[in-house]
Amino acid sequence: MATCATGCAPAVRLCQRLNRLKTLDDDMMATSLKRCLSTLDLTLLGVGGMVGSGLYVLTGTVAKDMVGPAVVISFLFAGIASLLAAFCYAEFGARIPKVGSAYMFTYVSVGEIWAFLIGWNVILENMIGGAAVARAWSGYLDSIFNHSIQNFTQTHIMQWDVPFLAHYPDLLAAGILVVASFFISFGVQVSSYLNHIFSVISMAVIAFILVFGFMLADPINWSQKEGGFAPFGLSGILSGSATCFYAFVGFDVIASSSEEAKNPQKAIPIATAISLAIATTAYILVSMVLTLMVPWHSLDPNSALADAFFRRGYSWAGIIVAVGSICAMNTVLLCNLFSLPRIVYAMSEDGLFFSFFARVNPITKVPVNAILVFGTLMATMALIFDLEALVQFLSIGTLLAYTFVAASVIVLRFQPEKTSAKGTSSTSLNPAAAPSPVALETQTITDGAGEMKEYESFSDKLQLVERSESQERRGVGQLRARWELYLGRVVGDFEPGEVVAFSVLAMMVSAVSLCAVVEFGRSQLQLPLWSFVTLLGIFSVAFLGSLLLIWAHEPQRNQKTFQVPLVPLVPGLSILMNVFLMLKLSALTWVRFAIWIAIGLCVYFGYGIWHSKEGMRELQPKDMAARYVVLPSGSLVETVQSVQPDGQVDPSAHHANNSTTPTTTAAEQPGRT
């Protein structure tokens, strides 16, 4: 048994290192960045991040190739799923106003390795998003000049026919990313002003599209003559919803900007709600106008809206739409180049990524190194990759980040606050004031008539203690008193929060299994009906049982910042929808995702795990405490030992106590009193 324990010790230590949590600073508002963004700034950042190439390009691509006119439903379904995720981002952004978005949220509540993988995928998500928008920007500008830019490039520069790559190098897309990176490096206020200008122009053009587009609408384009409203069926609608997530990934730029917000506790939730509502409404109405103006099967995927007006004979309107779309795509470029360097900065600041990217310019207060390097990488991707391949790969990283953020909300909601040796909350985000000792000297209780009375006798105080204990609410993460009779013997002996953590893991496994049975059970797996129904029932019961077990525990209450309602139901539904949409993506997307994860693991185990600041914090000298022991002779002996966190034992303490000569104090010296 001892040999087994010794052999397993390295594996246990490795697991502890992989799952260590980030320690938050006492002053959550302290930052090396500049806090200057208002609620309006954050709202326009969110709108600019969501209403761009998704509106002007993705609507046509999804409508023509995947859904048809039912793209309206796909955007609605994607918007609802994004709303559930947005709730989770809003809570974390207000509660932890630090740069890093999903990476930071996962690091605080789940563990280091998972946070790194989420951050690694968010980096790729923003790189792909910026590259895809740049190519869409280039395509729209090219459409204004009748594709003369594309023809010139293919004829006089080069073209190739390589799978998964574009047919020609898009020099215009790469150039706009380099220019945008240059402007972003001037500081957050310059980025905000540019975003304001482009957002106002974009929203004015959207209003023009809706008014003039509904005037040109023809209901026959939704009729059976043109293929019907949903020619690809329910499966096409759901597949389109997975791709439509690309349209809503921009709202996380609000959470990424929380460290630069003036009042993140209020601004983050308000900006998230308003921007998501505006974006969802715009997508639904514009996709409705587009498929009513022209038949869905004749749309131009590269410039659907502008081409629709050209084909209806309003070339001047098409030019207005093209110019407005370019402005909208500029806002998305700014948002991607705004949030990507800050996530890289957060990971580098924590030691998980190269420290070169953690340097902040003392004048502009932005991570210039991260902006320039990753702006160049983004430009390279836009130069050689195709738009469709980029969009397909983008969704999986977004959905994975949404899933882990939702799980982190549940874990943190039922996790008790850690306290330091001094008795104060070291990681509390909203510490409550401790009760005053003076206030405890006089106790009052309520009699049957509801009148407050004061009691001083011993029996009355004993009655007060018994009554207060019976009515006392249990601690955070502990089983509720009403469920003690039913579940106390099974889960009552676990530490607070442990059962919830295991339940979240079980809920995620059951969600994956349930969605896999629904998606592949009757098609690829060809399960018999009885087996399909049985597995469906088993995994559904497991998912609901995990939710109920989490709900049976005491959550944190009375927080001063925004909290997701109906926890764990809302995050649980978000996890279920995100997993289902992930399984709707193609197998090739999963292969690319696995390769990117493998590269990330090499980076983490080659650099991050050895330079993690949380790991260095563990290696720092422990606090020392003095203990006084009265020997049988009556003398007073002082011993010194290190203070360990609860549940940990200093291996050197026993040796020190046995080998160190006690220090004689003044109390045992002769001739002294």
Side-chain angles (χ1 to χ4, degrees):
M1 185 69 68
T3 304
C4 179
T6 304
C8 295
V12 173
R13 286 195 296 269
L14 177 61
C15 290
Q16 291 175 345
R17 296 175 68 183
L18 296 179
N19 292 280
R20 55 195 171 201
L21 303 179
K22 179 177 176 59
T23 303
L24 297 175
D25 298 330
D26 294 334
D27 186 4
M28 297 290 291
M29 298 296 288
T31 177
S32 60
L33 304 179
K34 185 177 181 180
R35 291 194 177 274
C36 59
L37 298 178
S38 64
T39 303
L40 177 62
D41 297 330
L42 294 173
T43 302
L44 290 179
L45 272 176
V47 173
M50 288 183 281
V51 180
S53 61
L55 186 74
Y56 293 94
V57 178
L58 195 62
T59 49
T61 302
V62 176
K64 181 178 181 179
D65 300 333
M66 305 178 68
V67 186
V71 64
V72 176
I73 300 179
S74 294
F75 274 116
L76 177 62
F77 186 63
I80 294 174
S82 298
L83 179 63
L84 300 178
F87 276 140
C88 302
Y89 272 82
E91 173 171 335
F92 268 117
R95 193 175 182 187
I96 308 174
K98 292 294 182 181
V99 71
S101 187
Y103 155 77
M104 179 64 65
F105 308 155
T106 306
Y107 203 172
V108 169
S109 56
V110 179
E112 183 173 286
I113 180 65
W114 311 107
F116 177 85
L117 292 179
I118 292 298
W120 184 249
N121 278 282
V122 170
I123 290 175
L124 181 64
E125 167 196 322
N126 282 274
M127 289 178 62
I128 291 177
V133 173
R135 288 197 68 92
W137 183 93
S138 174
Y140 251 90
L141 186 63
D142 194 22
S143 68
I144 298 177
F145 299 100
N146 198 22
H147 303 287
S148 59
I149 300 176
Q150 176 182 348
N151 296 332
F152 178 84
T153 304
Q154 292 178 338
T155 304
H156 296 87
I157 299 180
M158 65 168 18
Q159 62 176 334
W160 54 65
D161 189 12
V162 181
F164 315 122
L165 297 183
H167 297 299
Y168 66 97
D170 198 335
L171 299 175
L172 189 61
I176 186 60
L177 282 170
V178 173
V179 173
S181 301
F182 177 74
F183 279 105
I184 289 290
S185 63
F186 280 105
V188 61
Q189 288 184 324
V190 175
S191 305
S192 180
Y193 292 152
L194 290 174
N195 182 72
H196 285 189
I197 296 172
F198 291 131
S199 295
V200 170
I201 298 175
S202 175
M203 287 187 286
V205 172
I206 291 173
F208 168 79
I209 292 172
L210 295 179
V211 174
F212 196 40
F214 274 118
M215 293 173 59
L216 301 176
D218 188 358
I220 198 173
N221 291 322
W222 283 11
S223 65
Q224 290 297 328
K225 180 181 177 181
E226 299 293 345
F229 179 73
F232 297 93
L234 180 61
S235 178
I237 293 175
L238 296 178
S239 298
S241 298
T243 305
C244 287
F245 255 79
Y246 170 68
F248 297 98
V249 299
F251 74 78
D252 64 345
V253 70
I254 300 175
S256 299
S257 310
S258 59
E259 193 165 338
E260 292 162 290
K262 296 178 182 178
N263 186 7
Q265 286 77 15
K266 293 183 179 180
I268 298 297
I270 295 174
T272 302
I274 295 176
S275 60
L276 189 61
I278 293 174
T280 305
T281 304
Y283 276 113
I284 292 175
L285 294 179
V286 170
S287 60
M288 185 182 300
V289 165
L290 177 64
T291 52
L292 284 172
M293 285 177 60
V294 295
W296 60 270
H297 50 76
S298 64
L299 293 171
D300 182 3
N302 293 324
S303 55
L305 280 169
D307 184 70
F309 281 102
F310 274 116
R311 290 172 57 191
R312 292 300 297 268
Y314 297 93
S315 57
W316 59 271
I319 295 176
I320 292 177
V321 171
V323 173
S325 67
I326 290 175
C327 292
M329 293 177 197
N330 285 338
T331 63
V332 181
L333 284 177
L334 291 173
C335 290
N336 278 279
L337 287 170
F338 181 86
S339 59
L340 172 60
R342 283 153 179 80
I343 295 170
V344 175
Y345 162 77
M347 297 176 66
S348 303
E349 184 71 13
D350 292 334
L352 302 186
F353 207 51
F354 306 111
S355 59
F356 171 77
F357 299 115
R359 299 174 186 172
V360 176
N361 186 283
I363 299 176
T364 61
K365 300 293 183 180
V366 293
V368 177
N369 294 341
I371 292 173
L372 297 180
V373 171
F374 281 89
T376 304
L377 291 176
M378 195 182 296
T380 305
M381 294 183 66
L383 184 70
I384 61 175
F385 284 106
D386 190 15
L387 175 62
E388 184 176 355
L390 292 173
V391 170
Q392 281 288 334
F393 192 80
L394 175 65
S395 296
I396 190 170
T398 305
L399 293 169
L400 185 68
Y402 288 176
T403 302
F404 268 84
V405 171
S408 300
V409 166
I410 301 176
V411 171
L412 198 61
R413 182 68 64 88
F414 292 88
Q415 178 179 315
E417 296 178 350
K418 299 178 182 179
T419 56
S420 63
K422 296 179 181 180
T424 59
S425 176
S426 60
T427 61
S428 172
L429 305 174
N430 288 292
S436 172
V438 179
L440 297 177
E441 293 178 359
T442 304
Q443 301 284 354
T444 60
I445 64 174
T446 306
D447 61 3
E451 181 182 357
M452 303 297 295
K453 294 185 177 181
E454 185 172 311
Y455 294 84
E456 291 295 337
S457 65
F458 176 80
S459 60
D460 289 337
K461 290 186 177 181
L462 181 60
Q463 176 187 3
L464 170 64
V465 171
E466 292 175 348
R467 184 175 300 183
S468 62
E469 287 180 349
S470 64
Q471 297 178 354
E472 180 183 4
R473 187 182 298 277
R474 300 204 170 191
V476 175
Q478 294 181 344
L479 192 65
R480 297 175 189 255
R482 72 183 72 169
W483 296 102
E484 181 68 29
L485 180 63
Y486 308 99
L487 301 174
R489 294 185 178 181
V490 181
V491 299
D493 296 333
F494 287 88
E495 292 294 326
E498 282 187 352
V499 176
V500 172
F502 284 117
S503 300
V504 170
L505 178 61
M507 180 181 63
M508 297 181 70
V509 172
S510 60
V512 173
S513 304
L514 177 61
C515 295
V517 170
V518 172
E519 179 64 22
F520 308 115
R522 299 291 288 174
S523 55
Q524 283 86 342
L525 299 179
Q526 296 182 350
L527 295 175
L529 181 59
W530 66 269
S531 178
F532 176 79
V533 174
T534 301
L535 291 176
L536 207 63
I538 291 174
F539 294 130
S540 298
V541 170
F543 182 81
L544 294 176
S546 301
L547 285 178
L548 291 175
L549 189 57
I550 295 172
W551 178 76
H553 289 75
E554 287 287 351
Q556 295 183 8
R557 301 178 185 273
N558 299 326
Q559 295 290 342
K560 297 180 181 179
T561 59
F562 171 80
Q563 284 190 314
V564 179
L566 301 178
V567 173
L569 180 61
V570 169
L573 291 177
S574 178
I575 292 173
L576 188 64
M577 297 179 72
N578 296 333
V579 169
F580 181 75
L581 292 175
M582 289 172 69
L583 295 180
K584 297 291 293 184
L585 298 174
S586 64
L588 186 59
T589 301
W590 282 95
V591 173
R592 298 170 185 163
F593 172 73
I595 295 174
W596 182 251
I597 287 292
I599 297 174
L601 290 175
C602 293
V603 173
Y604 175 74
F605 285 104
Y607 182 88
I609 194 173
W610 307 107
H611 296 82
S612 170
K613 289 190 177 180
E614 290 301 322
M616 296 179 181
R617 194 191 306 270
E618 295 175 356
L619 299 178
Q620 291 177 354
K622 307 293 189 305
D623 295 335
M624 307 303 294
R627 176 175 295 177
Y628 298 90
V629 181
V630 179
L631 298 179
S633 61
S635 61
L636 185 65
V637 177
E638 177 186 16
T639 61
V640 179
Q641 64 181 16
S642 60
V643 177
Q644 298 291 328
D646 294 340
Q648 297 184 12
V649 180
D650 186 359
S652 63
H654 179 72
H655 176 75
N657 289 338
N658 290 337
S659 60
T660 304
T661 304
T663 302
T664 304
T665 64
E668 66 175 313
Q669 294 179 8
R672 301 275 185 98
T673 58

